[in-house]
């Protein structure tokens, strides 16, 4: 009921769907970050996959002991967003601390702190997309997100799935295919505008962070860069606002986060404070910084 009422209120207010021109940033007076465009719930909704919460986990350690999902903790999701709850059925790639694939489990189980504290670790990626003006595309995660809602972060952050196309590991092609898929799902970037071959794989980071008492992240995160002007049509169920920023504008955003004026995701904070600006200064010379052998523990 409240969603329907919200849609009616937005319509009454005269809010309408919009599309950003390639490489542009649209301003919005209601966004907490200058230059970011705030989305409304009527902008765009991609189709949902209809899958059940089924699957089997190969648990790290203990001789790769198999544990049925029926033994996983039961969590009530009634108060969570319906579209985001459906996505909890996706099967993530379970890995050990050296990024060796050891099984699969649902997104739900991979993001429960109770499982994370037992060592459950999955594969992920973070995309950093720059336009021709060397500005970085940021998004603010929607309030509907189960982990780290309302947080500012890099262009796109998600997980490759345990499917044949996204399990392929040579040259991280499976991860790059997943990134292409999720850039379309989150930011509305047409598949043909950013291909897996255009996503430049730099390195990996391993981090763990709690979102709240129930949900968290524990990932080995592939860092992917691309510089290209693209069309944007974000899904408001995924993205609350978005904007392109200069280095100085990002530093201001990080300062605001340090004063608790806005929130940023923990992985974006780690990457920004450790690597991002030196990579940003060398967008035309990224091969110098490639390190596929090392996993940075953060």
């Amino acid at each position: 009921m409240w969603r329907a009422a919200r849609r009616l209120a937005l319509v009454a207010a005269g809010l309408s769907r919009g599309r950003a021109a390639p490489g542009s940033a649209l301003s919005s007076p209601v966004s907490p970050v200058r230059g970011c465009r705030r989305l409304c719930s009527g902008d765009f909704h991609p189709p949902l996959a209809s899958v059940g919460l089924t699957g089997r986990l190969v648990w790290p350690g203990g001789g790769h002991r198999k544990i049925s999902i029926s033994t996983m903790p039961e969590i009530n999701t009634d108060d969570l967003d319906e579209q985001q709850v459906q996505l909890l059925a996706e099967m993530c790639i379970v890995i050990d601390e050296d990024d060796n694939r050891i099984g699969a489990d649902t997104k739900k189980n991979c993001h429960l702190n109770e499982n994370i504290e037992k060592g459950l670790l999955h594969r992920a990626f973070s995309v950093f997309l720059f336009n021709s003006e060397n500005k970085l595309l940021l998004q603010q995660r929607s309030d509907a997100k189960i982990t780290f809602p309302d947080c500012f972060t890099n262009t796109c952050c998600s997980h490759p799935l345990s499917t044949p196309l996204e399990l392929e590991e040579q040259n991280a092609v499976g991860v790059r295919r997943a990134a292409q898929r999720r850039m379309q799902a989150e930011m509305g970037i047409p598949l043909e505008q950013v291909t897996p071959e255009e996503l430049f794989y730099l390195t990996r980071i391993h981090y763990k962070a709690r979102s709240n008492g129930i949900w968290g992240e524990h990932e080995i995160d592939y860092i992917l860069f691309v510089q290209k002007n693209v069309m944007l049509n974000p899904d408001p169920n995924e993205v609350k606002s978005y904007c392109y920023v200069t280095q100085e504008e990002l530093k201001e955003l990080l300062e605001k986060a340090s004063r608790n004026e806005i929130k940023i995701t923990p992985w974006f904070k780690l990457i920004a404070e450790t690597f991002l600006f030196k990579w940003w200064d060398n967008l035309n010379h990224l091969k110098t910084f490639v390190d596929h052998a090392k996993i940075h523990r953060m």
Side-chain angles (χ1 to χ4, degrees):
M1 289 293 291
W2 68 268
R3 289 192 185 93
R6 182 167 178 253
R7 289 193 193 98
L8 289 172
L10 289 169
V11 171
L15 296 175
S16 62
R17 175 175 175 168
R19 181 182 293 272
S24 68
L26 303 179
S27 61
S28 170
V30 295
S31 174
V33 173
R34 185 176 67 251
C36 279
R37 183 197 169 186
R38 194 80 169 258
L39 301 182
C40 70
S41 62
D43 280 1
F44 173 68
H45 289 287
L48 287 173
S50 179
V51 290
L53 284 169
T54 59
R56 181 170 288 273
L57 162 71
V58 181
W59 194 262
H64 294 175
R65 175 168 56 95
K66 290 187 178 181
I67 298 180
S68 168
I69 281 182
S70 62
T71 67
M72 295 295 104
E74 290 297 324
I75 298 296
N76 189 323
T77 59
D78 291 346
D79 294 333
L80 302 177
D81 179 84
E82 181 181 354
Q83 184 169 324
Q84 293 296 321
V85 168
Q86 289 190 46
L87 294 174
L88 290 177
E90 292 180 335
M91 296 299 292
C92 294
I93 301 169
V94 175
I95 53 177
D96 65 18
E97 292 201 352
D98 295 318
D99 195 25
N100 297 307
R101 179 167 61 92
I102 58 174
D105 202 1
T106 61
K107 180 180 176 182
K108 175 184 177 182
N109 285 335
C110 287
H111 290 82
L112 289 172
N113 288 325
E114 184 172 342
N115 295 334
I116 289 170
E117 293 307 315
K118 296 174 183 175
L120 187 57
L121 175 65
H122 63 278
R123 190 173 288 164
F125 62 81
S126 287
V127 176
F128 292 76
L129 183 146
F130 301 82
N131 66 11
S132 58
E133 298 177 349
N134 289 350
K135 292 182 178 180
L136 172 62
L137 177 60
L138 301 184
Q139 65 158 279
Q140 182 185 17
R141 292 162 67 86
S142 80
D143 294 332
K145 297 292 284 185
I146 293 171
T147 58
F148 302 101
D150 195 41
C151 291
F152 283 87
T153 195
N154 48 286
T155 310
C156 179
C157 327
S158 192
H159 322 91
L161 301 181
S162 186
T163 62
L165 282 176
E166 297 184 11
L167 282 169
E168 191 171 336
E169 295 187 348
Q170 186 173 4
N171 298 320
V173 67
V175 171
R176 291 186 283 117
R177 287 169 180 156
Q180 179 196 36
R181 171 179 57 82
R182 285 302 299 173
M183 283 192 292
Q184 181 191 47
E186 293 182 19
M187 301 302 295
I189 299 172
L191 293 175
E192 66 275 10
Q193 287 196 4
V194 178
T195 66
E197 293 74 22
E198 292 174 298
L199 290 161
F200 189 82
Y201 165 38
L202 272 167
T203 190
R204 294 168 290 177
I205 70 166
H206 177 189
Y207 77 96
K208 180 166 67 173
R210 294 173 71 92
S211 179
N212 56 29
I214 297 173
W215 304 99
E217 293 281 5
H218 188 207
E219 304 177 329
I220 289 182
D221 194 15
Y222 285 64
I223 310 303
L224 307 173
F225 269 42
V226 61
Q227 185 168 21
K228 198 170 188 183
N229 291 337
V230 296
M231 297 298 294
L232 300 172
N233 189 19
D235 175 6
N237 189 261
E238 295 283 343
V239 179
K240 186 174 183 177
S241 69
Y242 66 97
C243 54
Y244 285 90
V245 295
T246 64
Q247 290 197 26
E248 288 306 312
E249 288 167 338
L250 178 56
K251 289 173 183 176
E252 290 177 15
L253 185 148
L254 294 171
E255 281 293 321
K256 286 185 176 182
S258 71
R259 298 191 298 267
N260 295 319
E261 295 175 13
I262 61 168
K263 297 184 291 183
I264 61 175
T265 61
W267 62 87
F268 182 47
K269 181 176 187 291
L270 290 169
I271 295 167
E273 292 178 347
T274 310
F275 301 113
L276 178 56
F277 290 101
K278 66 180 178 182
W279 291 337
W280 199 336
D281 285 334
N282 293 276
L283 289 179
N284 295 322
H285 308 283
L286 287 175
K287 289 183 179 179
T288 307
F289 301 95
V290 169
D291 189 351
H292 295 172
K294 184 174 182 179
I295 300 172
H296 301 273
R297 314 290 179 180
M298 307 181 78

